[in-house]
Amino acid sequence: MAASVGRICGAGLFKSNKTNCLRQIKSFSTTREWTTGKKTLFGSLGVLAGGAGVLIYALDKSVRASDLELHPPENPWSHSGWFKSLDHASIRRGYEVYKQVCAACHSLRFIAYRNLVGVSHTEDEAKAEAEEQMITDGPDESGNMFQRPGKLSDYVPGPYANEEAARAANNGAFPPDLSYIVLARHGGEDYIFSLLTGYYDAPAGVILREGQFFNPYFPGGAISMAQALYNEAIEYSDGTPATASQLAKDVATFLKWTSEPEFDDRQRLLIKVIGISTILLAITYYAKRFKWSSLKTRKIEFRPKNK
Amino acid sequence: MSLSKTIYNTLFKRSSTFALTCVVSAFVFERGFNLGCDTFFETINKGKLWQDIKDNYTQ
């Protein structure tokens, strides 16, 4: 063991030898034989690609000051950052908010009650949640649809039978399905939070039609959804004070989970990927040094025949 | 006999033991690595995960 460690270190594993490196580039580079034209071509291609990358990055980072909308500030979510999981107590409270407030207008049709099990609810609780809902099933033997209490495998039923009914009930505006809303809007959960807490009296000059409200975070500013969250709008079963911002935070976390149910697994996997890659990189580095050691340590001597 | 010699003679010298060593060490490494990573994840996220709060809802 000690011998092999000695050998590794002897091979200069931890020594940096920049001059060696430069010399190698010089003698092993494949571009030396290129014509000037080819070098220029590849040089300009590289510059172009790099420039395009910088441009795209700059455009993405720009403040977009010409848009007539307010961009949501980034909030310090407990799940933003490397290796951070979602806050499951918050998901559970967010489900309460959805069920008691948003479900009056918004569907959540890609989430089934079984999805809640082991995330925010126990199996018994999820069953009880499902049984509260009446689900249309069928047809039975005589061809009629019938109503039955929900099961774990049922998807969350929506408030309206179809889009037309939803529009008719909301002044012609369609309340979108919330399952994937966090992925479907710029700003993600920050946008949801800002939207829900961002209602103001319309400033002078902004004309709202009937049933519209002023919200600077909504593109255009005139949204057909009334402010849904107020302090003490609902009561949390875990006793958390239900301020408007708490409600918004929890429902945004819940909707983050419905959009990315695999979020926690991804964070967990990141740890493993980084760990394994580090080990593999170290092994690869050592193997390369090891395989090349004989070639790199040889000496070529030129002995002229002077006899 | 040095340690590396012993290891070589008992584990790596014959193909049968070599293959067995590969399989067993892969298993042990995988278990250990996953356990380590999961423990790390669960430690830095303590209090936020379902396993930390589920006792509030099951009696």
Side-chain angles (χ1 to χ4, degrees):
Chain A
M1 197 67 197
S4 41
V5 170
R7 213 177 314 127
I8 297 172
C9 297
L13 184 66
F14 301 113
K15 279 188 223 145
S16 85
N17 35 18
K18 197 157 160 226
T19 39
N20 254 353
C21 212
L22 287 177
R23 198 183 311 139
Q24 237 163 35
I25 291 171
K26 222 167 153 201
S27 43
F28 285 105
S29 166
T30 50
T31 59
R32 261 190 324 159
E33 272 87 56
W34 287 10
T35 58
T36 323
K38 200 169 174 189
K39 276 184 188 163
T40 322
L41 175 71
F42 274 81
S44 18
L45 273 183
V47 170
L48 267 181
V54 170
L55 183 70
I56 290 170
Y57 179 77
L59 284 179
D60 189 55
K61 284 280 153 193
S62 69
V63 291
R64 299 193 192 91
S66 56
D67 299 4
L68 266 184
E69 70 188 83
L70 203 52
H71 293 279
E74 278 175 27
N75 292 302
W77 298 96
S78 82
H79 58 256
S80 44
W82 291 36
F83 318 142
K84 298 291 188 61
S85 79
L86 290 167
D87 183 349
H88 286 242
S90 183
I91 297 180
R92 187 182 167 100
R93 288 193 298 271
Y95 172 75
E96 287 175 18
V97 179
Y98 167 76
K99 184 180 150 194
Q100 296 180 39
V101 184
C102 322
C105 306
H106 290 277
S107 56
L108 193 70
R109 59 196 169 103
F110 296 106
I111 297 297
Y113 287 99
R114 61 183 162 77
N115 297 136
L116 300 174
V117 176
V119 174
S120 57
H121 291 71
T122 64
E123 190 172 335
D124 292 338
E125 286 172 326
K127 266 185 193 150
E129 291 294 327
E131 276 163 15
E132 280 176 26
Q133 309 288 339
M134 290 309 279
I135 307 281
T136 311
D137 203 349
D140 59 13
E141 310 88 75
S142 47
N144 298 319
M145 303 302 274
F146 58 92
Q147 297 271 308
R148 60 159 174 79
K151 295 185 285 194
L152 272 186
S153 55
D154 283 317
Y155 285 80
V156 177
Y160 303 110
N162 48 53
E163 185 178 332
E164 283 67 22
R167 283 191 190 279
N170 287 286
N171 273 319
F174 176 56
D177 186 85
L178 291 184
S179 314
Y180 292 110
I181 200 79
V182 165
L183 292 180
R185 294 290 181 274
H186 280 291
E189 60 270 40
D190 286 319
Y191 171 71
I192 308 292
F193 179 86
S194 298
L195 185 81
L196 293 173
T197 54
Y199 283 86
Y200 299 96
D201 291 336
V206 173
I207 298 151
L208 297 173
R209 281 186 290 139
E210 203 201 312
Q212 286 193 326
F213 306 87
F214 182 72
N215 190 322
Y217 295 100
F218 188 69
I223 188 169
S224 298
M225 168 170 75
Q227 179 167 1
L229 300 178
Y230 297 92
N231 289 340
E232 318 292 332
I234 69 167
E235 205 167 291
Y236 280 134
S237 59
D238 66 358
T240 307
T243 58
S245 59
Q246 178 76 41
L247 296 167
K249 177 220 152 192
D250 288 336
V251 80
T253 310
F254 173 68
L255 294 176
K256 172 82 175 173
W257 169 75
T258 61
S259 293
E260 299 175 50
E262 80 296 350
F263 186 86
D264 285 358
D265 290 335
R266 270 199 346 247
Q267 302 291 70
R268 197 187 282 260
L269 212 55
L270 181 63
I271 302 174
K272 294 180 186 173
V273 168
I274 291 179
I276 285 283
S277 310
T278 314
I279 296 172
L280 291 185
L281 196 70
I283 293 177
T284 316
Y285 182 70
Y286 171 69
K288 188 261 167 192
R289 301 284 300 215
F290 182 73
K291 293 282 177 198
W292 280 72
S293 57
S294 58
L295 184 66
K296 289 213 187 177
T297 50
R298 74 186 170 167
K299 271 185 190 152
I300 300 174
E301 207 174 339
F302 176 62
R303 262 191 222 157
K305 273 192 193 151
N306 48 5
K307 262 194 274 172
Chain B
M1 207 158 51
S2 71
L3 181 62
S4 51
K5 260 261 160 63
T6 324
I7 293 177
Y8 176 76
N9 281 340
T10 47
L11 298 178
F12 295 157
K13 199 168 175 183
R14 264 171 298 145
S15 296
S16 55
T17 53
F18 182 68
L20 194 70
T21 311
C22 287
V23 172
V24 170
S25 55
F27 180 78
V28 171
F29 172 76
E30 200 268 353
R31 288 286 77 215
F33 184 79
N34 271 332
L35 196 73
C37 288
D38 287 343
T39 314
F40 174 64
F41 180 79
E42 281 151 22
T43 316
I44 61 171
N45 290 306
K46 190 142 201 65
K48 294 201 285 171
L49 300 168
W50 171 246
Q51 63 187 44
D52 301 327
I53 61 167
K54 72 167 178 233
D55 291 338
N56 303 341
Y57 312 111
T58 46
Q59 280 93 36

